[in-house]
Amino acid sequence: MALQTAVHPALSRVLIDEATLSARIKELGAQITRDYSGKRLMVVGVLKGSVIFLADLLRALGPEVDVETDFVAVSSYAGKASTGAIRTLLDLRHSPEGKDLLLVEDIVDTGLTLTALTETLRAHRPNSLEVCTLLDKPECRKTPFQPKYVGFKIPNEFVVGFGLDYDERYRQLPCVGVLKI
Ligand code: 5GP
């Protein structure tokens, strides 16, 4: 039976439906499995937006990869314009030194958060550090940051669902949609 995504009343439209998300995450999982085959991979979810994507991505990784999971949480410093400075709210439990690290994020917008976060993590001297994001808004970039693994490139619209929130709401939606304004 085909999956049907009912449009939530808070959405003006569904941008990426459940079946499309699921198929693409399986592809990303297969690609990451090929790239890290035989290696020890530390998959690090950036809280909170990545959790739904991360849960699916982890289950799409094959047994060829030895996977360890951890989380980080950061917040941008409040202010009118984003400076790109971040504050670490939750740090890695174990040192990533000498490990292959894959940072999993929900969306890259300006790129400022991930530029700062990857710089912070590189200081811990991982063997390698790459980023996998479910969504990418390349038009909005304020830094040349380019994630290696991208689920979907999307236009410059505010989206919610599949882990992404508006004021902590709508993370539970099974699709990615554009919020009604
Ligand atoms: P960046 O530093 O790349 O501008 O910020 C990325 C963060 O901004 C994401 O982790 C997310 O929290 C937030 N963000 C950017 N665009 C959107 C969007 O369209 N929807 C939601 N819900 N959050 C967004």
Side-chain angles (χ1 to χ4, degrees), residues 82 105-114 137 154 157-160 164-166:
S82 177
E105 182 57 299
D106 54 354
I107 187 163
V108 183
D109 186 23
T110 62
L112 290 169
T113 305
L114 278 174
K137 291 197 223 174
I154 63 166
E157 288 183 283
F158 191 82
V159 293
V160 294
L164 289 104
D165 74 312
Y166 174 68

Side-chain angles (χ1 to χ4, degrees), residues 16 24-25 28 53 132-136 149-153:
I16 312 168
R24 180 68 186 125
I25 295 170
L28 283 173
F53 172 44
C132 177
T133 185
L134 178 66
L135 306 172
D136 186 8
Y149 304 98
V150 175
F152 302 89
K153 287 192 177 166

Side-chain angles (χ1 to χ4, degrees), residues 122-139:
R122 277 208 177 89
H124 293 291
R125 312 195 330 148
N127 185 41
S128 69
L129 174 56
E130 298 293 352
V131 170
C132 177
T133 185
L134 178 66
L135 306 172
D136 186 8
K137 291 197 223 174
E139 287 166 41

Side-chain angles (χ1 to χ4, degrees), residues 27-100:
E27 281 176 8
L28 283 173
Q31 189 185 352
I32 292 165
T33 300
R34 280 195 301 277
D35 292 353
Y36 292 93
S37 178
K39 294 190 173 162
R40 256 186 87 182
L41 179 62
M42 192 169 179
V43 179
V44 177
V46 184
L47 293 174
K48 302 175 192 168
S50 73
V51 290
I52 309 261
F53 172 44
L54 180 75
D56 283 356
L57 185 68
L58 283 171
R59 286 176 292 176
L61 297 176
E64 303 89 325
V65 194
D66 184 6
V67 180
E68 197 181 325
T69 311
D70 207 343
F71 292 93
V72 291
V74 294
S75 76
S76 307
Y77 281 105
K80 276 198 173 153
S82 177
T83 56
I86 54 165
R87 190 158 61 99
T88 302
L89 304 176
L90 175 71
D91 211 343
L92 293 176
R93 187 130 186 242
H94 301 289
S95 167
E97 189 170 344
K99 295 177 185 169
D100 291 300

